[in-house]
Amino acid sequence: MTIALPAQAAERAKFKLDYTVPVLAGFAAVLCVLVVLPVSWLIYYSVTIGDPASNVRVFTLAHFYTLFTDPAFVNPLLTTITVAVSSSVLCCAVAAPMGWLVARTDMPFRRTVRLLVTASFVTPPFLGAVAWEILAAPNSGLLNQLYRFVTGAPQDEHLFNIYSLSGLIFVITCYTFPYVFVLVANALDRIPADMEEASAMLGAGTWRTARRVTIPLALPALLAGILIAFLQAMILFGSPAILALPAGFHTMTTKIWSLFQYPPQPELAAAASLPLLVVTVMLLRAQHTILGRKGYTVLGGKNADPRLIKLGWLAVPAMTFVVAVISLPLFLPYFALFNAAFSPIATTLVTPANATLHNIYFTFVELSSTQLALNNTFILGAASATLGTVLALVIGYATARQAVTGHRVLGFLATAPIAIPGIVLGVGLFLSYTRPPLVLYGTLWVLLIAYVTIELPAAYQQLQSAFRAVNPELEDASRILGATRLQTLRRITAPLLRTNVLATWCFIFVSTIRELSAAIMLFTSETKVVSVLIFDLKESGELGAISVLGLSMLVLTFAVVIGVNRMPGFGGTRLRNT
Amino acid sequence: MKSFKFSRRDLLIGSGALAAGATFSTRVLSAAPPASAITPQLIEAAKKEGKVVWYTSVDLPLAERIAKSFKDKYPGVDCRVERTGAERVFQRIGQEYGSNIRAVDVVNSSDAAHLIVWKNQGWLAPFVPEDVAKHFPAEHKDADGTFASFRVFLCPMGYNTNLVKAEEAPKSFADLLDPKWTGKIVKAHPSYSGTILTATFQTSRDLGWEFFEKLAKQKIMQVQSATDPPKKLALGERAVMVDGIEYGMFQLKEKGNPVEIIYPSEGTPLIVGPNAVFKEAPNPNAARLLQSFMFSAECQQLAIDHGGLRSAHALTKEKAGRKPLSQIKLMKDDAAAVEKQSAEIKARYTQIFKV
Amino acid sequence: MAAVELRGLTKRYGEAAVVDRVSLTIEHGHLVCLLGPSGCGKTTTLRLIAGFVEPSEGEIRVGERLISSPANTVPPERRNMSMIFQSYALWPHMTVAENIVYGLKLRKLDRDTIGKKLDAILATTKLAPLAQRYPGELSGGQQQRVALARALIVEPETLLLDEPLSNLDANLREEMRFEVRRLHDAYRYTTVYVTHDQAEAMTTADLIAVMNAGKIEQAGTPEDIYDRPSSEFVARFIGSSNVIRGVGLAGGRVEFAGVPLRCVGAKVEAGASTPVSIRPHDIAISLRQPGDTDNLVPATVVRQVFLGGSRDYMVESKDGTQLRVVTAAAESIPQGSAVWLGLPPDRCRALTG
């Protein structure tokens, strides 16, 4: 080797500009637009009233007065609280024992159970609600028909009535408990075996160990899960719109949405959105406090496999319980949807004699919005996933590496949307983008903004922790060899985070496809997405078409997720870790 | 369809013109533009645009059927149906125009009052298809040529024949208040459906709001679209419907579903669903072609035969087995009054029924 | 050619100064070791030089070029430096060859040149057979050589090494010390080497800067540092000297445990508390009082350990000070014995403060 021209190399290097600072500043600006703008408009509208004559808005608290005195608002508020409390308690009652069975016992098919519960997350809650209508509508519901067939009960008797408060709580629980389940099961996975062994060596029996050590250690995750379940139940729009309205009651989300029917009352909608916002912020703070208590969470380190409790003959009832639970969000609803897709009438069982392809023909040939909605959904899903991942990647990098001053602000802004329920964001974005200078309403852009905003917090948290797992020296090594921060991010960090990046991409894609509550506020005829189309069809009672669309949406989702994971250069190539 | 005997149709058109006159007081009251035939030039121009968007509240399968027959007749012009409840159509168009979005070409609403509003705002294009000029009675077309009645239908009651015997079925709105129907009634919503808004206006005017207040205690199942209650009857989910589209009932019944229409003794609400072309339609030629097609005897007959609608077109024939309008006691409709009371009706309804 | 010059370099995190007014000149082609215990600021100093950290005060120059100051810091990628990391920081998703040529690709060299340079460095570092392997498939020593090759191939103006040998086992570490020195002699890059291991520093460095609490305590050649420590910290850290504390007497002696010791080193002030260093193997230990009476301190054996090649004593003087003494293995004195310690005057170094 010779010492060749280091001076020249240095000379050349001078022309390489570092765009990091302007780029990161740009991201901060984007985040501000995403988060601050809609919330500001929301607050502004909630405390002002427009004077149609002078076009001037004046300050008022009248909306809040209405909100807390008019029964039309107080009742939905109380209903929402009832629904959220009940379904979070139910979630916990179901998810905790299931999580424990899967993580800590030798129950057969543990992995399959996990997979299935995760799969039920992919089901959009509104689709589940429609499926449960087909199953448990008081008179026509398949389960009630079965009940009458078996018991010989008279025509007007029923076992289940899904159009009721309890029906709503039930369906919401079906699609919320996976959150709690995953949290609890993961927490139980991480409890090191030695803690249990320590207890066992002190003479405690297996069950006693479980009660005294394992369960208390999993408690923070359970509490956090309950809070998440509460939040989800509170901000869900599709299920109450499908199940509560026929029964003649509102929740806050459906009430907010109804305020946008003609004549629209955006001020009241804004005011009604704020309590949701405030409660969400408070709950998230509570969750942070619970999970943030030091010395209580068990993390990291390589531990021996957890001690599995031998169930023995108890395996049978345990399996029965688990299968019964999974059938509620998964087996039964999908059976109902398949049946409805091929049946002339949704609540008639398909037989070879009456099976029909009419619903499929209608959905894909006659229904002129299908193509548009599928295209929009696919474009938006892919665009949101890509943009969201890039944003989360860059911001996760900036905060995990503390690359710029003000990275804390970036991190906060990226996490903040978690506190904004979809429908509230929908209202905020509607207020922000139906006026100059940025009239994005009516374009796919406004939906893109909504989706990216909604999914950013989860994506950011996933990628930020992934960044933390990558030794920063790997990046330093690249920089000292002449790569700028962005080059390093592209050539070193991103490939190292490939699996995480892919997982995040798929996560956003799936979440976007099942999003309804923000889309319902923001779509126009040209920017319809599948979830909105399904909701439209629901309102005119086209159950067959809904089933076909819902099932094809899932096929599309799985196809994309599998396709992305098989993409050459992504999932396929070998990755060896030091 | 000479047998049409609307007692109040002059009111509809008259009040529309009156309202328009009041708004555009400086405008010279003009007659409609001359009738336009479907010319090869129009078809060519429409093909160049390649598509047309129809906002409508017609029951989706029927709307798509009409769109399909249009596409079959004029290949190269795609017709996309944007179907939702008439009140939603109205709100959406208002919102889109407010945000400078011009997506709608042709509109159809089951709430005739909407056409008055749009016309007053100057959003509608004066355009009179040949069929409208020749075969539609004056009471079914706007004097200024901006809209005409694409469809006429009723909003009757109905029941499921498996669940209710014919002799036990309610005969009137008043019968529905009988405790035996508690929990067995399905009803659509006036904030969503123009049909129901119009019907609610007529029913509350003729029977008083007390009727609805009592009805609200019957634990009704509240659906949104007027197209849904007939479907809920067919599913067997509810035994009786308070309101819903007559044409949906015809379709279901003729396909062999266990449903039967009740024309209540107090009178049945009458619904008129006009069609119009928007002045700023993004596809103006395709819009005019679609409008002309929809008022042709061919399309109107399709709507009758396939869809169960009724038509004001002189050359169409009613389908055998359906009760002719002339034999039904109708409630009086009044689009101008609906326009004025729309917000109040919705508010009051929501107050009574809680949703 | 350019020297690297640190002037009053300071880095504060909040109130605490991690690097405190460090000034040091690294001559071109020299290898300087920053030596000190963990937390002494040596790695931060290195990262300041690399440009990963911006200084709070002071500046860094390479030749006439100002590369770091509070107002303006040239980013690492424009410093034409190379660095070898404690973790080696090999990219697990790239092969050995890809790892090595990364820097050349960034410099947009043509393919032939890159190929030639790669072959040359693979030969030098004996990595040719491993070129297509992934880092995860290599042993620690092999990984170390890849890191070295990757850093050297770009022909940096300055080479920075951050505890490069600390992840190797003892034998390999010893071997690699000489390897580092050999490569330095071959390429003569200006090199800054951070370590906490004094043997490593002694073997490799032209100049050692001993750091403590963010400051450079003493900078000098290995011999300087070892034989002539200027502070108690350096004396203790290098060769683990005994540092005893006495009181200065008129005439340059230091009174310790009642004995006036003759010392070399710093000027002694009368009446001042004065630390004196002496290495364990410089102390003579005997049961009987030697004839020579100068610098004789009576003491008691607290414990003794047989180490094979030597014997390690802990003794306590009358005033309770404990001292380590290393003697030949054969010389065994039982625990509890009263002994005489002979402290050769030329080995007793009076230290400042």
Side-chain angles (χ1 to χ4, degrees):
Chain A
M1 296 218 66
T2 55
I3 302 171
L5 311 169
Q8 223 176 42
E11 207 59 37
R12 203 170 20 242
K14 265 182 202 161
F15 292 98
K16 232 185 276 173
L17 268 173
D18 188 351
Y19 292 104
T20 315
V21 173
V23 165
L24 285 175
F27 276 102
V30 167
L31 285 180
C32 272
V33 171
L34 286 183
V35 182
V36 178
L37 191 64
V39 173
S40 309
W41 275 113
L42 205 64
I43 294 171
Y44 177 64
Y45 258 72
S46 71
V47 293
T48 55
I49 191 158
D51 180 355
S54 62
N55 220 357
V56 175
R57 302 193 66 85
V58 286
F59 176 80
T60 177
L61 287 175
H63 312 310
F64 287 102
Y65 182 76
T66 310
L67 190 61
F68 293 112
T69 53
D70 186 345
F73 290 94
V74 176
N75 291 338
L77 206 60
L78 295 176
T79 307
T80 301
I81 295 169
T82 314
V83 168
V85 169
S86 327
S87 85
S88 54
V89 169
L90 267 177
C91 276
C92 165
V94 174
M98 251 181 91
W100 180 75
L101 282 172
V102 161
R104 289 272 140 178
T105 72
D106 63 346
M107 188 181 70
F109 303 111
R110 297 189 304 274
R111 282 166 168 270
T112 320
V113 169
R114 267 193 191 206
L115 209 67
L116 286 174
V117 176
T118 316
S120 74
F121 168 76
V122 177
T123 313
F126 55 86
L127 192 62
V130 173
W132 269 101
E133 266 193 301
I134 299 172
L135 284 166
N139 299 303
S140 57
L142 292 170
L143 294 176
N144 285 316
Q145 289 188 44
L146 179 72
Y147 164 74
R148 284 193 294 267
F149 178 77
V150 171
T151 62
Q155 184 50 242
D156 52 356
E157 239 178 60
H158 55 77
L159 189 58
F160 306 105
N161 179 8
I162 207 71
Y163 302 116
S164 62
L165 186 62
S166 48
L168 176 63
I169 291 169
F170 167 77
V171 170
I172 288 182
T173 306
C174 277
Y175 295 96
T176 310
F177 95 88
Y179 291 97
V180 188
F181 171 83
V182 169
L183 273 169
V184 170
N186 287 351
L188 287 170
D189 280 345
R190 285 198 305 260
I191 293 174
D194 44 17
M195 284 209 187
E196 290 188 327
E197 275 155 15
S199 163
M201 277 192 297
L202 291 172
T206 308
W207 290 99
R208 193 185 159 88
T209 302
R211 208 175 65 240
R212 302 293 293 274
V213 178
T214 318
I215 292 173
L217 280 172
L219 210 57
L222 188 62
L223 282 175
I226 290 175
L227 288 181
I228 295 279
F230 187 96
L231 273 183
Q232 287 294 323
M234 184 177 80
I235 65 178
L236 216 52
F237 165 74
S239 311
I242 288 164
L243 299 174
L245 296 186
F249 66 93
H250 268 297
T251 62
M252 280 314 277
T253 50
T254 58
K255 189 72 197 173
I256 291 170
W257 163 78
S258 77
L259 291 170
F260 273 80
Q261 293 176 5
Y262 195 82
Q265 296 164 276
E267 291 95 349
L268 261 178
S273 300
L274 282 180
L276 294 185
L277 193 67
V278 170
V279 173
T280 312
V281 170
M282 276 165 27
L283 287 182
L284 289 171
R285 283 219 64 86
Q287 189 202 7
H288 187 79
T289 317
I290 292 169
L291 286 185
R293 286 234 300 268
K294 284 196 183 104
Y296 207 72
T297 45
V298 182
L299 274 174
K302 276 182 189 168
N303 300 304
D305 283 340
R307 252 153 59 99
L308 295 184
I309 291 179
K310 294 206 169 37
L311 285 176
W313 64 271
L314 283 171
V316 177
M319 273 306 285
T320 315
F321 165 72
V322 167
V323 169
V325 169
I326 296 182
S327 68
L328 298 179
L330 214 58
F331 302 147
L332 284 174
Y334 280 101
F335 166 75
L337 289 176
F338 264 105
N339 185 66
F342 295 100
S343 168
I345 296 259
T347 53
T348 304
L349 277 186
V350 173
T351 61
N354 70 7
T356 173
L357 293 178
H358 172 261
N359 291 323
I360 294 169
Y361 181 79
F362 174 73
T363 308
F364 288 108
V365 180
E366 293 190 340
L367 188 55
S368 49
S369 307
T370 307
Q371 190 67 43
L372 180 79
L374 280 173
N375 283 348
N376 283 343
T377 302
F378 188 80
I379 292 169
L380 278 172
S384 313
T386 309
L387 186 60
T389 308
V390 168
L391 265 175
L393 203 60
V394 174
I395 299 163
Y397 172 77
T399 52
R401 296 287 179 264
Q402 317 193 337
V404 278
T405 43
H407 61 86
R408 264 168 229 265
V409 179
L410 271 180
F412 172 78
L413 283 173
T415 327
I418 206 170
I420 312 176
I423 196 140
V424 177
L425 184 71
V427 175
L429 289 177
F430 179 85
L431 297 175
S432 309
Y433 295 114
T434 44
R435 68 189 71 240
L438 264 178
V439 185
L440 295 179
Y441 178 72
T443 65
L444 289 178
W445 290 106
V446 72
L447 285 164
L448 181 69
I449 289 177
Y451 290 154
V452 169
T453 312
I454 290 171
E455 303 310 336
L456 188 59
Y460 163 73
Q461 281 169 357
Q462 285 175 16
L463 287 180
Q464 209 234 8
S465 57
F467 268 115
R468 293 228 165 117
V470 171
N471 187 343
E473 288 192 344
L474 291 174
E475 288 160 9
D476 291 346
S478 163
R479 293 200 66 198
I480 198 78
L481 285 171
T484 61
R485 249 189 208 137
L486 286 182
Q487 282 175 317
T488 302
L489 194 58
R490 201 177 74 237
R491 301 176 68 153
I492 303 295
T493 324
L496 284 174
L497 295 176
R498 189 165 50 200
T499 26
N500 307 73
V501 166
L502 262 178
T504 304
W505 195 95
C506 290
F507 174 84
I508 302 182
F509 185 83
V510 169
S511 310
T512 299
I513 282 187
R514 65 204 284 279
E515 211 289 328
L516 173 66
S517 48
I520 199 77
M521 305 298 307
L522 297 172
F523 82 100
T524 57
S525 63
E526 298 292 327
T527 58
K528 205 174 249 189
V529 290
V530 173
S531 59
V532 170
L533 180 60
I534 288 180
F535 191 73
D536 265 7
L537 290 169
K538 164 60 205 150
E539 286 187 320
S540 52
E542 305 287 342
L543 295 175
I546 293 175
S547 305
V548 172
L549 262 182
L551 292 173
S552 13
M553 207 162 114
L554 283 167
V555 170
L556 175 82
T557 307
F558 280 113
V560 167
V561 169
I562 292 169
V564 165
N565 280 295
R566 295 237 168 115
M567 219 146 78
F570 272 103
T573 52
R574 60 179 179 166
L575 174 61
R576 288 170 202 272
N577 275 314
T578 43
Chain B
M1 201 166 292
K2 303 257 165 64
S3 57
F4 272 170
K5 223 24 178 188
F6 298 163
S7 41
R8 24 59 13 198
R9 52 175 89 114
D10 307 65
L11 252 174
L12 159 62
I13 306 304
S15 60
L18 198 74
T23 314
F24 303 99
S25 50
T26 55
R27 187 178 67 109
V28 178
L29 209 67
S30 67
S36 314
I38 297 177
T39 59
Q41 289 88 339
L42 181 66
I43 298 173
E44 265 322 294
K47 279 185 181 164
K48 250 181 215 150
E49 289 161 1
K51 66 165 184 174
V52 59
V53 180
W54 182 33
Y55 280 36
T56 182
S57 61
V58 174
D59 187 30
L60 186 61
L62 175 59
E64 295 288 6
R65 177 72 177 246
I66 291 166
K68 185 169 180 294
S69 60
F70 172 75
K71 287 186 270 190
D72 289 347
K73 180 144 188 179
Y74 302 104
V77 190
D78 188 35
C79 177
R80 195 158 63 70
V81 173
E82 180 60 27
R83 191 269 160 204
T84 180
E87 302 307 311
R88 295 274 178 80
V89 168
F90 182 70
Q91 184 245 344
R92 190 164 303 163
I93 289 175
Q95 198 138 35
E96 290 182 358
Y97 266 64
S99 307
N100 275 320
I101 297 165
R102 303 286 181 266
V104 54
D105 290 311
V106 180
V107 73
N108 171 262
S109 175
S110 54
D111 183 346
H114 295 163
L115 280 293
I116 301 174
V117 176
W118 289 325
K119 184 184 166 186
N120 287 348
Q121 281 167 322
W123 290 355
L124 301 182
F127 174 72
V128 181
E130 204 171 20
D131 278 90
V132 171
K134 282 187 188 162
H135 305 298
F136 277 66
E139 55 270 28
H140 275 292
K141 49 194 179 194
D142 173 31
D144 296 319
T146 54
F147 58 85
S149 305
F150 165 69
R151 55 175 170 148
V152 177
F153 60 101
L154 303 182
C155 179
M157 292 170 25
Y159 67 97
N160 178 307
T161 54
N162 288 346
L163 302 174
V164 181
K165 291 192 196 98
E167 59 272 22
E168 285 170 2
K171 306 284 182 286
S172 64
F173 286 117
D175 286 352
L176 293 174
L177 303 179
D178 190 311
K180 74 172 178 180
W181 301 120
T182 304
K184 295 185 177 172
I185 302 173
V186 60
K187 188 180 183 324
H189 204 293
S191 287
Y192 177 91
S193 165
T195 304
I196 304 301
L197 181 72
T198 311
T200 307
F201 164 75
Q202 296 175 21
T203 323
S204 64
R205 179 195 58 200
D206 293 5
L207 308 182
W209 280 103
E210 306 83 57
F211 167 69
F212 289 103
E213 279 157 12
K214 287 174 191 158
L215 187 65
K217 299 198 170 73
Q218 288 288 62
K219 293 188 180 164
I220 60 155
M221 175 183 190
Q222 178 73 67
V223 297
Q224 297 292 315
S225 173
T227 65
D228 203 7
K231 293 169 194 169
K232 289 286 179 283
L233 289 189
L235 288 171
E237 180 47 45
R238 287 293 187 273
V240 182
M241 72 175 195
V242 187
D243 47 24
I245 48 168
E246 181 197 32
Y247 62 99
M249 292 294 278
F250 281 143
Q251 288 177 40
L252 287 166
K253 188 182 163 189
E254 285 160 17
K255 275 186 208 151
N257 288 286
V259 294
E260 189 54 76
I261 298 174
I262 306 163
Y263 296 107
S265 57
E266 293 96 333
T268 306
L270 176 88
I271 318 295
V272 175
N275 237 41
V277 172
F278 270 79
K279 212 180 252 173
E280 295 184 34
N283 308 293
N285 295 298
R288 281 164 178 77
L289 185 62
L290 178 66
Q291 177 82 341
S292 300
F293 169 79
M294 290 178 73
F295 283 97
S296 67
E298 176 191 353
C299 179
Q300 289 283 310
Q301 193 65 50
L302 173 90
I304 293 170
D305 295 346
H306 182 79
L309 284 167
R310 301 174 188 263
S311 170
H313 197 295
L315 301 184
T316 54
K317 291 191 200 68
E318 260 194 284
K319 198 172 174 185
R322 295 177 188 163
K323 198 170 183 178
L325 267 189
S326 55
Q327 296 172 20
I328 303 169
K329 184 182 174 191
L330 301 174
M331 284 185 171
K332 227 175 122 175
D333 108 312
D334 184 348
V338 171
E339 195 241 308
K340 288 197 190 72
Q341 297 178 23
S342 169
E344 190 197 325
I345 292 170
K346 288 173 188 170
R348 189 142 187 200
Y349 186 95
T350 306
Q351 201 184 1
I352 293 172
F353 288 93
K354 308 291 179 212
V355 285
Chain C
M1 292 296 275
V4 176
E5 202 180 343
L6 318 182
R7 287 185 194 163
L9 198 61
T10 302
K11 179 67 192 175
R12 278 190 212 93
Y13 291 107
E15 286 295 294
V18 178
V19 174
D20 195 1
R21 282 163 291 169
V22 164
S23 295
L24 182 69
T25 302
I26 302 149
E27 296 297 338
H28 175 72
H30 278 213
L31 194 158
V32 170
C33 248
L34 299 181
L35 177 66
S38 60
C40 71
K42 60 190 188 301
T43 294
T44 306
T45 308
L46 193 74
R47 294 178 63 80
L48 278 161
I49 299 173
F52 294 126
V53 180
E54 292 170 18
S56 311
E57 277 169 36
E59 55 185 49
I60 302 172
R61 287 171 184 276
V62 175
E64 285 312 297
R65 195 157 70 113
L66 177 65
I67 57 169
S68 276
S69 70
N72 184 26
T73 300
V74 177
E77 61 268 24
R78 282 165 44 195
R79 295 189 169 209
N80 200 28
M81 293 178 175
S82 271
M83 184 156 171
I84 294 171
F85 296 86
Q86 193 168 1
S87 66
Y88 313 138
L90 300 181
W91 303 302
H93 60 300
M94 297 185 188
T95 60
V96 166
E98 284 166 348
N99 262 284
I100 294 175
V101 300
Y102 182 86
L104 295 183
K105 284 201 171 152
L106 284 171
R107 283 161 178 74
K108 303 222 162 59
L109 297 187
D110 63 87
R111 191 182 286 243
D112 287 349
T113 319
I114 291 180
K116 273 180 210 147
K117 285 179 184 255
L118 175 66
D119 290 342
I121 199 89
L122 285 173
T124 316
T125 50
K126 307 184 186 96
L127 284 168
L130 306 176
Q132 295 313 314
R133 298 262 191 101
Y134 281 88
E137 300 165 331
L138 305 181
S139 70
Q142 290 165 335
Q143 291 185 1
Q144 165 79 64
R145 295 211 300 275
V146 177
L148 218 63
R150 185 177 71 181
L152 293 177
I153 198 169
V154 297
E155 291 154 15
E157 259 182 307
T158 314
L159 182 64
L160 310 174
L161 299 96
D162 183 11
E163 308 244 7
L165 308 182
S166 61
N167 280 337
L168 300 177
D169 57 48
N171 287 339
L172 203 53
R173 201 180 308 161
E174 203 157 318
E175 188 186 318
M176 287 306 287
R177 276 182 212 152
F178 293 103
E179 184 71 10
V180 168
R181 184 68 219 184
R182 186 181 70 79
L183 285 167
H184 181 257
D185 290 339
Y187 292 112
R188 287 259 150 228
Y189 295 126
T190 308
T191 303
V192 183
Y193 188 120
V194 160
T195 182
H196 64 273
D197 182 321
Q198 58 143 316
E200 227 170 282
M202 295 284 180
T203 324
T204 53
D206 297 315
L207 183 88
I208 294 177
V210 181
M211 288 190 71
N212 180 34
K215 290 192 167 81
I216 293 183
E217 290 264 340
Q218 186 177 3
T221 61
E223 291 79 7
D224 273 346
I225 299 285
Y226 190 85
D227 292 336
R228 290 176 284 283
S230 66
S231 72
E232 181 176 347
F233 173 81
V234 176
R236 282 190 193 276
F237 191 74
I238 307 287
S240 50
S241 290
N242 296 299
V243 177
I244 54 183
R245 204 158 269 280
V247 180
L249 299 172
R253 293 205 178 199
V254 177
E255 185 181 318
F256 169 72
V259 184
L261 296 178
R262 279 201 291 138
C263 297
V264 295
K267 192 170 180 293
V268 175
E269 272 179 53
S273 162
T274 307
V276 175
S277 81
I278 179 146
R279 296 188 186 283
H281 55 257
D282 286 335
I283 301 177
I285 185 169
S286 58
L287 282 166
R288 283 171 291 114
Q289 185 171 5
D292 186 359
T293 54
D294 234 9
N295 281 12
L296 268 185
V297 178
T300 318
V301 174
V302 178
R303 62 168 173 78
Q304 59 125 310
V305 183
F306 174 65
L307 290 176
S310 62
R311 204 172 279 274
D312 198 301
Y313 287 92
M314 182 61 73
V315 297
E316 195 174 298
S317 64
K318 275 186 205 150
D319 64 345
T321 307
Q322 295 201 329
L323 291 97
R324 254 186 79 218
V325 180
V326 177
T327 67
E331 204 171 331
S332 176
I333 299 171
Q335 198 174 314
S337 315
V339 291
W340 292 95
L341 304 177
L343 312 179
D346 59 331
R347 297 292 177 189
C348 291
R349 283 192 71 79
L351 306 170
T352 49

